[in-house]
Amino acid sequence: MNTLDENAAPDPVTESDGPGPDQVRRGPSGAALISFVIALMFLAGVIGWKIGERRDDVPTRNSVDVGFFQDMSTHHNQVISMAFTYLANGTDPLLRQIAGEIITYQASEIGVMGDHLTQWAQAGTETDTAMAWMGMVTPRDQMLGLATKAELRTLATARGAELNNVFSELVIKHHAGGVHMAEYAAKHAHTAAVKRWATSMADGQLGEIAELNRWRVKNGLAAVPVKV
């Protein structure tokens, strides 16, 4: 870790905070340990941001930075719900592990994004529309990669091999939409902090897409084509 002086501001996100494109994240399986890890990661992210963010570098309401954090929080919430559904009904060891990782990491990211928005005096979610910050205005529940209500009902009632198929496919598609949003934010956000958070999110989700498609092929299912 670099030594800090009172005039130096470290980056809120370092290479150790998020996985690279070829890394697979590993999370705990126990609910209590998941909660503990989330709390630690949230605290670390908040401290890093408070140290690194300059007061004269605050994004405005209509900025890419604010819009990305608002919309990605909504996006993360759905896949966390899907992961809990799988943990309640699914039995495949690898898919259960990935579901636990999703809960751990994406819940912690929601916490940090919410803290950023609060410090910028911005609401968590303001309207029923989303993605205006990237020139793609759409209803909030139809953002890129989000599962439909019918797909979520299928996920909730599926069991066994059908559940494994539905869960892995929906998560791959969900992550692909999230990667598209994150890569745009990484290029167009105003603050360096948001650019780094977006890059880390994209890398992590690309890694899980690759792992899930390998699992599908190994288990006799077709890989889900994604375009990001």
Side-chain angles (χ1 to χ4, degrees), residues 133-203:
W133 52 276
M134 58 186 299
M136 296 177 62
V137 179
T138 186
R140 182 162 295 279
D141 62 354
Q142 295 177 29
M143 277 191 289
L144 294 173
L146 289 189
T148 65
K149 291 180 180 179
E151 288 171 332
L152 293 175
R153 286 194 295 270
T154 298
L155 178 68
T157 58
R159 298 292 185 272
E162 181 189 7
L163 175 58
N164 295 341
N165 178 30
V166 173
F167 176 71
S168 59
E169 181 177 359
L170 289 182
V171 171
I172 289 170
K173 291 178 178 178
H174 193 281
H175 279 2
V179 168
H180 186 76
M181 295 165 64
E183 289 183 340
Y184 183 94
K187 292 179 181 178
H188 300 286
H190 174 64
T191 63
V194 174
K195 288 182 178 182
R196 282 187 288 271
W197 274 105
T199 299
S200 178
M201 289 179 193
D203 289 348

Side-chain angles (χ1 to χ4, degrees), residues 50-107:
K50 288 181 182 296
I51 294 173
E53 189 76 9
R54 300 195 306 271
R55 292 189 179 276
D56 61 350
D57 197 25
V58 176
T60 60
R61 176 180 178 181
N62 296 320
S63 65
V64 170
D65 308 62
V66 170
F68 172 64
F69 274 2
Q70 289 173 334
D71 291 353
M72 190 55 77
S73 295
T74 300
H75 209 266
H76 277 14
N77 270 320
Q78 188 190 71
V79 78
I80 289 171
S81 176
M82 290 162 56
F84 274 118
T85 297
Y86 188 82
L87 289 179
N89 303 311
T91 59
D92 182 86
L94 180 60
L95 295 186
R96 287 184 61 84
Q97 183 170 328
I98 290 175
E101 293 169 0
I102 288 170
I103 294 166
T104 300
Y105 289 96
Q106 297 210 12

Side-chain angles (χ1 to χ4, degrees), residues 17-38:
D17 289 321
D22 300 323
Q23 294 176 305
V24 176
R25 298 183 292 190
R26 286 288 173 259
S29 57
L33 187 54
I34 286 174
S35 298
F36 178 69
V37 171
I38 289 172

